[in-house]
Amino acid sequence: MSNSNIWHHKLFHCQSLLRPASLEHQSKLDSSGIFAKYFFKAARRSSRFYGNDLKLRRSESGIGGSRRSVIFTPRAVLAMEPSSEQLVGKFNLDGNIEMQVFVSNSSAASVAQINIQVTYSSDSLLLHWGAIRDRKEKWVLPSRQPNGTKNYKNRALRSPFIKSGSNSYISIAIDDPAMQAIEFLVVDEAKNKWFKNNGQNFHIKLPMREKLIIPNVSVPEELVQIQAYLRWERKGKQMYTLEQEKEEYESARFELLEEVARGTSIEDLRAKLTNKNDRCEIKEPSVSKIKNRIPDDLVQIQAYIRWEKAGKPNYSPEQQLREFEKAREELQTELYKGVSIDEIQKKITKGEIKTEESKQLQNKRYFSNERIQRKKWDIMQLVNKHAAKSVEDKVSKSAEGKASVESKVLKAVELFAKKKEEHDGGAVLNKKIFKLADKELLVLVTKPGGKVKVHLATDLEQPVTLHWALSKKAGEWLEPPPNVLPPGSISLQVAAETQLKNESTEFSYQVQSFEMEIEKDTFIGMPFVLLSNGRWIKNNGSDFYIEFGRGSKHVQKDAGDGIGTAKALLDKIAKMESEAQKSFMHRFNIAADLMDQAKDAGELGLAGIFVWMRFMATRQLIWNKNYNIKPREISKAQDRLTNLVQDIYANNPQHRELLRMIMSTVGRGGEGDVGQRIRDEILVIQRNNDCKGGMMEEWHQKLHNNTSPDDVIICQALIDYIKSDFNTSVYWKTLNDNGITKERLLSYDRAIHSEPNFRRDQRDGLLHDLGNYMRTLKAVHSGADLDSAIGNCMGYRSEGQGFMVGVQTNPVPGLPSGFPELLKFLLEHVEDKNVEALLEGLLEARQELRTLLFKSNDRLKDLLFLDIALDSTVRTVIERGYEELNNARPEKIMYFITLVLENLALSSDDNEDLIYCLKGWKHALSMSNSKSDHWALFSKSVLDRTHLALASKAEWYQNVLQPSAEYLGSLLGVDQWALNIFTEEIIRAGSAAALSTLLNRLDPILRQTAHLGSWQVISPVEAVGYVVAVDELLTVQNKTYKLPTILVAKRVKGEEEIPDGTVAVLTPDMPDVLSHVSVRARNSKVCFATCFDPDILADLKAYEGKLLHLKPTLADIAYSELKEGKLADSSSTNLKEVSPSPIKLVRKQFSSRYAISSEEFSSEMVGAKSRNISYLKGKVPSWIGIPTSVALPFGVFEKVLNEDLNWEVANKLQLLKKNLAEESSALGQIRHTVLQLAAPPQLVQELKTKMQSSGMPWPGDEGERRWEQAWMAIKKVWASKWNERAYFSTRKVKLDHDYLCMAVLVQEVIDADYAFVIHTTNPSSGDSSEIYAEVVKGLGETLVGAYPGRALSFICKKNDLNTPLVLGYPSKPIGLFIKRSIIFRSDSNGEDLEGYAGAGLYDSIEYSQASVDCNDMYTVIYLLNKTTDVYLLEVFWLPVETSYATAVRCIMRNATAM
């Protein structure tokens, strides 16, 4: 980084570091384009501020004595004289591209300078380099680097070339004499084009040199200007950019300093330069003489004036030293002009000496032309990898399984309710879900057409009878009138009984239901009990009861068991809610008391506090109940709570996102006077403006009794009312828009009955006083309001009047210099219609704050409130900017996406995936700007990955917040509608929602540009069927549809089964073409496609229940409605009666061997996987490695199960298998039981012998624990025979599950960089002349398993393997990586059967667990690279090409033989 950049970055923004010299210029270009004048600021002496005074700290050598020497380290510079350089290398890089390297050859120079010029022009040309020291091969990274240099993985430096016409150049300066050479490569980053020296690094030796000690002196600025002009002339009078001008100026200064270091005096330098340039004849007195003539007390005064004009920032000692020296130089400038010391003293006292700080303030160094200048922040520095873990009430694996089952059950009754609510169309009077052990019961009361309709539904599998009655008052049982009895009901003496009926199997859920309709106002409720399988079912020992008319406030589930929450904490909150309702003081103090328990409970504990505070903030809880509290007591309680939150924030980085969310629901608060002014100031307003009665007096009484965040809105409503020329409707609009109704005003303990009624002569005074009062209200209640947050950070003062106390808030210490102007810019432009510059400013402010938020600070909460306010403002600004994007080019939408994504990443814990998405968008923008052919296709992959990141973010919110919201909400009686949308509203309030909107705008543009169409057809099969819409394919995978069915599924992960009777599956999800469900669809001749257009998807859902004809092509699906009679005539329904399967399984027998080598593999011993390994030996090229393998053959599991040491396991397993026919939930118990098997000693010995003789490592050699891990992996493979998907799959095709035998293939696993699957026939089109390949980073499990995102995919003609066509860039967010290890693979006799695809149904388990890494897919550049006129698909892992490209190429060339 250059000196000037270091100064600009660190002095203005990082006050804790030492500041080198700075360069600021005013550019007056002559006709040739050279700068004419610079203003230079240097710093050399030590000083320190004490309070409001500036004291001089004398150096050890004394003021007038010799000054200490320092090693002067400026930026990398260009050579001083052409004669000092020699051409050391001339290279032909590629065709007409030539590179020349010049090195300074003076051994006396302390710095070796290397100039590199290339006849190639590109904005993305980089030098990938390092230095060689002490003959070591490993690169050393010099600390002195050209401007814009980035560290690449601590292994190399990346420095940008400077483009000049059709050429590019770069200069390197090496000041360490121990450096013997530099080595480098040249790369065009945008094109991923590398230039090497015949496949090797370029190596440039450096001349021997000595290290100069640069004396700490100043070189007169006019001499620097002359030297810079001479350099410019020597270089051909080029047109320089601002940065180039600064670089040239600093290089000129350094050259002069080197001359001084070699013994040249300033006078000799002047003579030398003025002889060369007759235009400059300036005589300069000695620097030391001038310095000694300036009294230190004058320097101290001038430094103080500079400090004041800069806004009295908090300078570090190093900054104070530099400020002192700048003040001295300003006084020296006056002496140069001939001003005497006495005159200088008079000027100082009158403030007539202009300081550079004041110029900087005037010029707004953060922005020019109403737009801030953003720094080039390293986005990878934003990565947070803190993984939050909950300590209390963690969901165990078994509980997760239970929750999974419950979620599916819940969907059944809720989907039923949704359908009925949509059908009835009227208001929902009541809706309640009761738990029935592991099942649920729904009661829904609606009011369509003025009548009351009651729906009851349950997912109980046994037949259910409803024993019920009606009531006109609570608790009574009255016989229902005959006209309301459903068909088949039996009337009893005081009740009725109705058999629940099964819903149509055409629905995607199975429930039994009851429906009854009565006239409104005839009955108030319905008591009932259930009878099933001879057993009465009640509500915790009492009758069930549902109200007809009072449910609007209490439509809710019962509390449930609190799984997935910090239950103990939430129970405690619920118990203390009655106390918390008294006032905000009580609530905040209770919350503060609970913070330690919440912190100890971890993520779920803090989520519980947030949910509670969110209920409060959204007015779901009572704010004040018969308790008079002073505002200062509320403010003090807020202050206590927010101080605790800021302390937890500082020490728990893994929970910062949740803690920010808690802060956003609570006002800032403050000790004493801040809150008291709420009470006092309203009295002053009333007195000053003669408004002591009516609405103002009622509001005054409310404020005295219990102030709340509502008062901020009331104050704003009054201001809007006055500004609208006293229009009362405007007053009510402001209130209603913010959730305050007339009923709410009347509900306060001190109700507000009246409307405002002011005189016109009160207008100006009220606007002034209410505007000031708003600051007081926001200081307590609205910490995250932007104006209030900025005020609290920058400091403000409100004077007292009479009895009203004054308030002073001091600035937060340690803010970056120049930050006040940036915040001022934001406030000035916060209402701008064109929002791009404002968004940049908001994000720049957040970036500046970021480092401060990671440090302990007594005022940390004020910085947090400011950051929260900036975050919130980004969201509101981007929503206002949608209009700006209506006709915008895609590049502008993409740029806005980068801004919103950056904002989301700044607010998120564990944001690595978001950062890689941001990196991808920046690369996509670069591709678009450079007119790359693939920019739209690449951008689409980044868009898809960003959608996945947002989905992951939403899932985190759902998992962490929603269970707590539902459990605590049910305990506190919160409205069910508020619980249902709790998480949705949190997401909607953040940047994620705005980002999703922008992505949806861009998606169709990218699809059109990349010629992707609206569909990706994975299995192009024509189909006719009835449309059924489902949320998840997983929830219906075991269902059998009696009629041909077209499923429109919102979610398809990739590992599901396709339900029987399904002829088509259409989804917006993007499973891999090679995923399990994709293979199933093709093998079963089921139409399967991804739809990218939400409008088409919505149209398809609108056909639910209707007969539709699908006619797919390779890139599209045409669909049309058919009449009912057409189904029988259609030959393309591909639905056939299920007939006995011709597929048979043959039971395998134990071969008397527990383990066998690969040479012993046969169809009687092992499955197809093992046999194929054996078959490949000797049939593939030598460069393709075949993994070393052994196996536990068929029958070993059964043999182990029958061993005496496992007789208890065998008995339990036999019992569970008997129950399996009736209860599929036994599958999980069977798997768990299999894991209890013990290993016979003979098995252990045989397996050890076979593995060692085959050259494989034996796990037991690493200790008994490692063998136990391997044995558990083997048992998990055996247990996977009873996976739900595998079990139901065999049952569907009527395979005898007992005959299914499982061998275990034991293989070595390599630490793969990439994995791929190649089909020798294109599976999408069926074209046998094409190969189709998909590639992922890491292990192949992310490709064939249910991992989100798409792989890199391409096709290639077999007769033209050198021209592959990329179909899609990768969007998978994760990769699986493992150290060289062992895998235990399922290898059953039920896989790869003719007519039945059993592959992928069973589990393979790694001996060592694979690590999950977030994919930096943008470091791996996928592109079509033209080499010697032949196009090849290559994959590069920068900076060295991997052998992967060769592997893909060779496999492609051998594809026809495989």
Side-chain angles (χ1 to χ4, degrees), residues 595-615:
M595 282 308 298
D596 277 344
Q597 183 179 347
K599 179 185 68 175
D600 292 341
E603 183 178 69
L604 296 182
L606 296 173
I609 294 291
F610 167 69
V611 166
W612 186 36
M613 292 292 100
R614 174 76 179 180
F615 284 155

Side-chain angles (χ1 to χ4, degrees), residues 796-824:
Y796 70 91
R797 182 176 181 179
S798 294
E799 300 292 343
Q801 295 184 31
F803 61 85
M804 185 176 68
V805 296
V807 172
Q808 178 168 335
T809 298
N810 294 320
V812 174
L815 292 177
S817 294
F819 198 56
E821 304 109 273
L822 178 57
L823 297 181
K824 182 181 178 183

Side-chain angles (χ1 to χ4, degrees), residues 744-978:
R744 183 165 182 83
L745 293 176
L746 295 173
S747 72
Y748 300 141
D749 281 359
R750 297 292 187 270
I752 298 178
H753 300 270
S754 308
E755 294 180 339
N757 185 18
F758 301 136
R759 304 188 307 272
R760 295 191 181 278
D761 63 304
Q762 296 171 307
R763 182 182 189 278
D764 293 341
L766 279 171
L767 283 177
H768 175 270
D769 290 352
L770 287 173
N772 289 335
Y773 192 44
M774 179 68 85
R775 165 173 277 182
T776 300
L777 291 169
K778 286 182 174 181
V780 175
H781 296 302
S782 305
D785 170 77
L786 183 61
D787 188 43
S788 175
I790 289 176
N792 285 327
C793 284
M794 303 314 302
Y796 70 91
R797 182 176 181 179
S798 294
E799 300 292 343
Q801 295 184 31
F803 61 85
M804 185 176 68
V805 296
V807 172
Q808 178 168 335
T809 298
N810 294 320
V812 174
L815 292 177
S817 294
F819 198 56
E821 304 109 273
L822 178 57
L823 297 181
K824 182 181 178 183
F825 171 85
L826 298 179
L827 290 177
E828 288 175 352
H829 295 273
V830 74
E831 299 296 334
D832 282 3
K833 184 176 181 182
N834 296 321
V835 301
E836 186 173 325
L838 176 59
L839 285 170
E840 292 172 342
L842 290 164
L843 288 165
E844 188 70 12
R846 293 201 67 193
Q847 290 274 18
E848 294 285 7
L849 276 178
R850 183 174 177 272
T851 54
L852 299 179
L853 295 176
F854 295 161
K855 302 175 182 177
S856 294
N857 188 318
D858 291 340
R859 299 283 299 279
L860 177 60
K861 70 178 182 182
D862 287 323
L863 297 175
L864 274 171
F865 277 126
L866 176 57
D867 191 56
I868 293 168
L870 293 167
D871 179 13
S872 177
T873 306
V874 169
R875 178 185 59 82
T876 56
V877 167
I878 195 66
E879 289 174 354
R880 189 169 76 240
Y882 287 156
E883 185 178 348
E884 188 176 334
L885 299 176
N886 282 342
N887 299 308
R889 291 178 54 80
E891 290 81 5
K892 183 159 188 175
I893 302 176
M894 291 163 69
Y895 181 60
F896 270 53
I897 286 172
T898 66
L899 296 176
V900 181
L901 189 53
E902 180 182 352
N903 190 63
L904 181 60
L906 284 167
S907 303
S908 300
D909 296 336
D910 195 19
N911 64 0
E912 190 176 14
D913 194 20
L914 295 172
I915 295 299
Y916 284 134
C917 290
L918 179 57
K919 188 176 179 180
W921 281 113
K922 288 181 178 292
H923 186 71
L925 265 172
S926 174
M927 290 178 69
S928 175
N929 292 332
S930 63
K931 309 301 180 186
S932 168
D933 293 339
H934 285 245
W935 78 266
L937 192 62
F938 180 83
S939 299
K940 182 65 170 69
S941 74
V942 184
L943 184 143
D944 292 341
R945 178 169 181 174
T946 310
H947 267 309
L948 290 173
L950 291 180
S952 177
K953 187 79 176 170
E955 186 176 4
W956 179 79
Y957 281 129
Q958 184 73 26
N959 293 338
V960 173
L961 301 180
Q962 192 64 28
S964 294
E966 292 182 358
Y967 182 72
L968 183 61
S970 63
L971 294 177
L972 300 181
V974 174
D975 291 351
Q976 185 65 43
W977 66 265

Side-chain angles (χ1 to χ4, degrees), residues 55 130 344 389 770 1020 1140 1254 1303:
K55 303 291 184 183
I344 288 176
K389 293 183 180 178
L770 287 173
S1254 299

